[in-house]
Amino acid sequence: MDEEDPLAEYRSKRDFSKTPEPEGGRSGSLEKPIFVIQKHDASNLHYDFRLEIEGVLKSWAVPKGPSTDPSTKRLAVPTEDHALEYRDFEGVIPEGEYGAGTVMVWDYGTYRNLRAEKRDSEARKDMTESLNDGKVEVWLEGNKLEGGYVLIRTGSGENARWLLIKMKDEKAEPERDILEEEPASVMTGKSLEEISQSVNQ
Ligand code: MN
């Protein structure tokens, strides 16, 4: 693996002459870091949760998607870093290509690193430290998801698992099924089916 290029793995998995996904350059960071959640109808439907950290999108595949209920823990499987330009990618990855299937921008917004805001300077962590530490705490300001979310690594080695959990705060909504209630693209209002049809026409 090329350690100089954080997107080496991302690029090695894709043939950019065949997929409409962005190849990714080295674009500068925006003022506030962004997050995006892409609903991805690949061999298994899942939600890709991505956080902008140091110029790339750190990514986890969440098979059951995010929840607004703090008592619900959702498995989040780390995947390769994606290019920042991927944040507004919506379309169809062709058959035979890596991740083949329809991609929707399900939610989009900015986030704050809650661990950087701790009063105790010993407890303060930047996002990279939080990742290495296995505990990421962010306040999402999305169109759909809002409030505190924690990504936590449990176990170690081969048994390591990440979980995505809504924090207990005023934005928690234990009774709500946001995936059912708001299934469409935040960017275009389209359903997965409409995205796939608009490309295949
Ligand atoms: Mn995916």
Side-chain angles (χ1 to χ4, degrees):
M1 188 92 32
D2 180 1
E3 291 194 66
E4 294 293 298
D5 181 1
L7 296 175
E9 185 184 353
Y10 171 87
R11 290 197 187 94
S12 72
K13 288 180 168 176
R14 291 168 175 79
D15 179 348
F16 294 101
S17 67
K18 293 186 179 148
T19 179
E21 297 165 288
E23 193 164 348
R26 284 182 170 270
S27 40
S29 189
L30 303 169
E31 249 174 56
K32 278 188 182 175
I34 62 106
F35 81 95
V36 60
I37 298 175
Q38 278 152 322
K39 192 171 171 179
H40 186 184
D41 191 13
S43 45
N44 291 300
L45 180 72
H46 60 273
Y47 292 75
D48 289 300
F49 184 74
R50 310 190 198 280
L51 292 171
E52 179 190 355
I53 300 175
E54 295 188 3
V56 296
L57 294 173
K58 292 284 170 186
S59 301
W60 291 259
V62 184
K64 291 188 174 175
S67 173
T68 56
D69 176 2
S71 70
T72 301
K73 298 176 172 69
R74 291 282 157 87
L75 179 67
V77 182
T79 57
E80 77 275 19
D81 296 351
H82 277 53
L84 205 50
E85 293 99 313
Y86 212 93
R87 64 183 180 260
D88 58 3
F89 175 71
E90 188 167 281
V92 175
I93 302 170
E95 283 293 312
E97 298 307 302
Y98 181 74
T102 307
V103 178
M104 169 202 287
V105 179
W106 182 78
D107 198 14
Y108 180 87
T110 59
Y111 77 86
R112 283 171 23 224
N113 172 13
L114 294 174
R115 296 191 72 186
E117 298 174 8
K118 304 280 185 197
R119 285 189 184 189
D120 174 8
S121 62
E122 297 273 302
R124 266 178 234 150
K125 303 280 179 201
D126 66 25
M127 288 298 283
T128 298
E129 290 167 334
S130 297
L131 275 181
N132 293 339
D133 201 28
K135 191 181 183 192
V136 171
E137 292 179 359
V138 287
W139 184 273
L140 302 181
E141 286 159 2
N143 289 273
K144 294 174 182 173
L145 295 188
E146 291 183 297
Y149 278 80
V150 59
L151 270 161
I152 191 154
R153 188 176 58 214
T154 65
S156 59
E158 291 209 345
N159 295 318
R161 295 278 182 280
W162 287 81
L163 298 170
L164 175 65
I165 310 165
K166 177 76 195 76
M167 293 167 84
K168 288 178 187 161
D169 55 38
E170 71 272 20
K171 301 293 187 185
E173 294 181 281
E175 303 301 323
R176 198 166 171 214
D177 184 345
I178 197 167
L179 305 179
E180 279 284 321
E181 284 177 29
E182 304 205 41
S185 168
V186 73
M187 201 166 75
T188 59
K190 289 178 179 172
S191 66
L192 280 171
E193 199 179 12
E194 287 167 335
I195 294 166
S196 100
Q197 283 169 354
S198 64
V199 169
N200 291 332
Q201 271 166 9

